[in-house]
Amino acid sequence: MSKILSVENLHVSFGQGDREVKAVKGVSFDIEAGRTHALVGESGSGKSVSALSIMRLLPYPTAWHPSGNIDFDGQEIIDAPESLMRSFRGNRIAMIFQEPLNSLNPLHSIEKQISEVLFVHKHMSPGQARDQVVELLELVGLESATERLHALPHEFSGGQQQRIMIAMALANEPEILIADEPTTALDVTVQAQILVLLKELQEKLGMAMLLITHDLGIVRRMADTVSVMNDGKVVESGDAQNVFENPQHEYTQHLLSAEPKGRSDAAPAGASILKGDDVRVWFPIKRGVLRRTVGHIKAVDGISVDIRAGHTVGIVGESGSGKSTLGRALIKLEHATGQIAFNGQSLEGLGWKALRPLRREFQIVFQDPYGSLSPRMSISQIIEEGLIIHDLGTPEERHQQVADALEEVGLDASMRDRYPHEFSGGQRQRIAIARALALKPKFIVLDEPTSALDMSVQAQIVELLRGLQKKYNLAYMFISHDLKVVRALAHDVVVMKDGKVVEQGPSEQIFEAPQQPYTKALLAAALNLSADTTGAVSS
């Protein structure tokens, strides 16, 4: 196979002089036509920065290249004029970004955003573009694609947003697809479908792929060659199968041995902290000039749940099943009908003033950390904001509480004056967890809190959450598509599909003896995705 892209001795720095941060230090790798090369490593190792250098999408001139070369099809990229890069981006080289909601324009419909790529590079007519958009959305498994063309990004779940990004990236059949955590936000069955899809498209188009991920199961399955990165350097590289079967470097060995393990502790159930009975969240469908309601999207349709002190309820299901909507509804961030009680007190009819004192007691960690952290506030200000609002402690005490919260989630307190954009995706998620923990709540909704984290950090966060639960007798609602993490944390599991409960019960019962076909399909997809390294996985 011929090399289509070659990266040689790439260095990337941010800032100058005493403030220079060396993010990438002499990285080299090749990508061959029709084959997949994977960059693997923990958060902050330089994987995404290396990939963004290929697209020339770093924040220049703050970012700069002390040395190195990137050769694409015989043309040097690092010093190429912007006009040449525009002809490459989205046409010959496409990229799927890690955080889809931050990458999609919140003001434009999905049809407009995908069509733009087709207008610019293929000069299609509006009719041709619409047909192509529908085909692409159906290809990546977005249901009711024709009916949802005019929908805005926030109207989709995290997994659906990622599928839209994949459709946009594939629109022009690129020669190289850079996939930065392409399945992070997807449930296991859709992960399987997307990976099969990417493989099929790669074979059909002869497309090369640069895969950036912390999920070693995906790397085993997808990659032909692999480079393992740590602290901005490649510590080991070679044929993927050889690296996985016979790792030479101790860091590679560490990665391969790290994943969430164990089961939730069999702690006695405490008092009911949050209880929901017949909770419903219906979104109206409006059509016509007068915007009359013609139907409803039943995101949550008659669900009852009881979450007790010291216990974790895991909520699992595919993208769009209503998991996140249920979590938001229970803490009054989404209008819902039904009975919701917190610590024995009904929340029905309470206004924002009455709810405000209670909000210290229940917190949420959102799925997209970049979207939930203010880019204009330092990390210290973000974590301290809740303490100030609830008038907790003196300035000196709050200063110490911020430092303690950062250290509890594995971050150095000296990072407190940095801003969110200065951290990797995994580090930002830890900051979001620290913000929730700082108020010492009784109940936390954890909406995919480990989806952006590499395996070793996932294991650390699981242990952290377990320890905090024991220490403070916390109640958790843990929403996730990663069934290994759910099994490690949850005492009880609720399986959702299309806004309804398919099956619920003790964790061991659900995982060891599922009763419903849908639950069995979810577990089978998770098992096959982690175990099967060669064949296709079906849902």
Side-chain angles (χ1 to χ4, degrees):
M1 291 272 183
S2 59
K3 289 190 295 186
I4 189 170
L5 187 137
S6 179
V7 177
E8 296 181 4
N9 194 34
L10 177 67
H11 288 254
V12 183
S13 291
F14 293 86
Q16 302 278 348
D18 294 338
R19 302 192 66 180
E20 180 182 356
V21 176
K22 298 179 180 178
V24 176
K25 310 165 188 175
V27 165
S28 299
F29 60 86
D30 297 326
I31 304 177
E32 296 181 348
R35 288 168 65 83
T36 299
H37 184 78
L39 292 181
V40 180
E42 296 181 289
S43 300
S45 63
K47 309 184 302 294
S48 294
V49 173
S50 299
L52 289 169
S53 298
I54 297 171
M55 296 283 283
R56 286 264 300 277
L57 291 177
L58 292 172
Y60 303 104
T62 301
W64 57 290
H65 301 285
S67 62
N69 298 291
I70 301 176
D71 183 282
F72 170 60
D73 198 21
Q75 293 179 294
E76 176 59 44
I77 283 180
I78 284 184
D79 297 322
E82 184 61 23
S83 59
L84 180 62
M85 291 307 303
R86 281 198 297 268
S87 70
F88 287 165
R89 295 190 195 112
N91 187 26
R92 301 186 66 187
I93 307 175
M95 187 165 186
I96 304 166
F97 295 95
Q98 182 173 351
E99 292 164 340
L101 191 57
N102 188 51
S103 305
L104 295 168
N105 190 317
L107 302 178
H108 291 168
S109 69
I110 62 168
E111 179 187 13
K112 184 173 182 179
Q113 295 189 61
I114 301 175
S115 295
E116 184 178 15
V117 182
L118 300 170
F119 293 150
V120 171
H121 293 290
K122 288 194 172 181
H123 309 292
M124 285 187 175
S125 68
Q128 291 173 323
R130 168 167 285 203
D131 292 341
Q132 184 70 9
V133 169
V134 171
E135 183 179 339
L136 286 165
L137 292 176
E138 290 176 346
L139 196 63
V140 298
L142 191 71
E143 295 181 359
S144 305
T146 305
E147 289 77 18
R148 305 193 72 181
L149 290 176
H150 297 296
L152 298 174
H154 74 272
E155 298 179 71
F156 296 88
S157 69
Q160 290 169 328
Q161 290 162 5
Q162 190 66 288
R163 278 178 270 180
I164 293 165
M165 285 294 302
I166 293 171
M168 192 183 304
L170 296 175
N172 286 321
E173 302 180 357
E175 295 167 57
I176 298 179
L177 177 65
I178 300 174
D180 189 354
E181 302 283 4
T183 60
T184 293
L186 304 183
D187 48 78
V188 289
T189 55
V190 180
Q191 278 188 19
Q193 295 163 14
I194 292 297
L195 294 177
V196 169
L197 170 65
L198 290 175
K199 272 291 188 184
E200 289 175 348
L201 289 167
Q202 187 173 34
E203 293 173 3
K204 175 184 175 182
L205 306 174
M207 180 177 65
M209 195 184 315
L210 177 61
L211 179 64
I212 302 164
T213 183
H214 64 262
D215 191 326
L216 300 180
I218 292 176
V219 176
R220 284 178 183 268
R221 167 117 181 251
M222 296 288 289
D224 299 297
T225 54
V226 62
S227 294
V228 181
M229 292 187 65
N230 182 33
D231 192 28
K233 301 176 181 177
V234 174
V235 297
E236 187 167 356
S237 62
D239 179 81
Q241 185 175 351
N242 292 338
V243 169
F244 278 102
E245 291 181 356
N246 188 28
Q248 300 299 306
H249 197 277
E250 61 181 4
Y251 178 74
T252 310
Q253 296 167 1
H254 159 74
L255 280 183
L256 292 171
S257 64
E259 68 174 1
K261 296 181 176 66
R263 302 289 183 268
S264 57
D265 297 327
S272 177
I273 293 293
L274 193 141
K275 188 173 184 179
D277 289 318
D278 195 28
V279 178
R280 298 172 188 268
V281 181
W282 291 11
F283 296 107
I285 301 171
K286 296 184 178 183
R287 293 198 179 128
V289 176
L290 299 178
R291 307 299 293 163
R292 290 195 172 116
T293 299
V294 298
H296 290 86
I297 296 172
K298 300 177 181 180
V300 176
D301 193 17
I303 290 180
S304 298
V305 64
D306 188 5
I307 305 169
R308 297 180 173 272
H311 269 226
T312 300
V313 173
I315 310 292
V316 301
E318 295 182 289
S319 301
S321 62
K323 307 186 300 295
S324 298
T325 303
L326 174 63
R328 293 195 301 268
L330 290 174
I331 59 173
K332 305 300 285 184
L333 291 180
E334 195 79 69
H335 176 71
T337 61
Q339 298 295 319
I340 300 173
F342 176 74
N343 213 16
Q345 178 181 354
S346 174
L347 302 184
E348 187 176 4
L350 295 183
W352 70 270
K353 284 187 178 180
L355 277 171
R356 189 169 181 175
L358 292 174
R359 291 206 180 278
R360 178 194 168 189
E361 304 289 339
F362 46 79
Q363 291 290 303
I364 184 169
V365 176
F366 293 97
Q367 180 175 351
D368 178 5
Y370 197 81
S372 64
L373 301 176
S374 172
R376 294 181 174 87
M377 297 172 70
S378 69
I379 300 311
S380 179
Q381 291 171 323
I382 288 170
I383 297 174
E384 189 182 18
E385 184 179 28
L387 301 172
I388 294 172
I389 288 171
H390 292 284
D391 195 24
L392 300 176
T394 64
E396 292 76 18
E397 289 170 337
R398 291 197 297 267
H399 183 88
Q400 185 58 47
Q401 286 173 308
V402 170
D404 292 344
L406 285 171
E407 289 175 359
E408 275 189 321
V409 297
L411 294 174
D412 196 314
S414 64
M415 297 177 173
R416 59 188 304 145
D417 294 324
R418 297 185 190 176
Y419 288 79
H421 72 272
E422 299 180 76
F423 293 87
S424 67
Q427 289 170 323
R428 286 195 289 264
Q429 191 63 286
R430 280 178 270 176
I431 292 163
I433 294 172
R435 176 175 59 182
L437 295 175
L439 290 170
K440 301 294 189 291
K442 293 180 180 177
F443 171 63
I444 302 178
V445 174
L446 298 155
D447 190 356
E448 301 279 7
T450 61
S451 65
L453 304 181
D454 43 76
M455 288 294 183
S456 61
V457 181
Q458 279 189 10
Q460 294 166 18
I461 293 297
V462 167
E463 291 304 316
L464 168 67
L465 292 171
R466 281 176 177 161
L468 290 166
Q469 188 170 56
K470 287 181 182 178
K471 184 176 180 180
Y472 299 111
N473 204 31
L474 288 169
Y476 294 144
M477 172 179 275
F478 190 86
I479 300 167
S480 181
H481 64 263
D482 191 329
L483 299 184
K484 295 190 298 296
V485 180
V486 172
R487 191 170 195 179
L489 266 176
H491 300 89
D492 298 288
V493 174
V494 176
V495 182
M496 289 183 63
K497 186 177 191 300
D498 297 330
K500 294 182 179 291
V501 172
V502 174
E503 187 170 356
Q504 65 185 113
S507 177
E508 285 305 307
Q509 175 185 313
I510 298 295
F511 281 99
E512 297 295 337
Q515 300 300 305
Q516 299 299 318
Y518 179 73
T519 309
K520 294 176 182 178
L522 277 182
L523 295 173
L527 178 65
N528 289 341
L529 193 58
S530 60
D532 180 11
T533 62
T534 56
V537 178
S538 73
S539 58

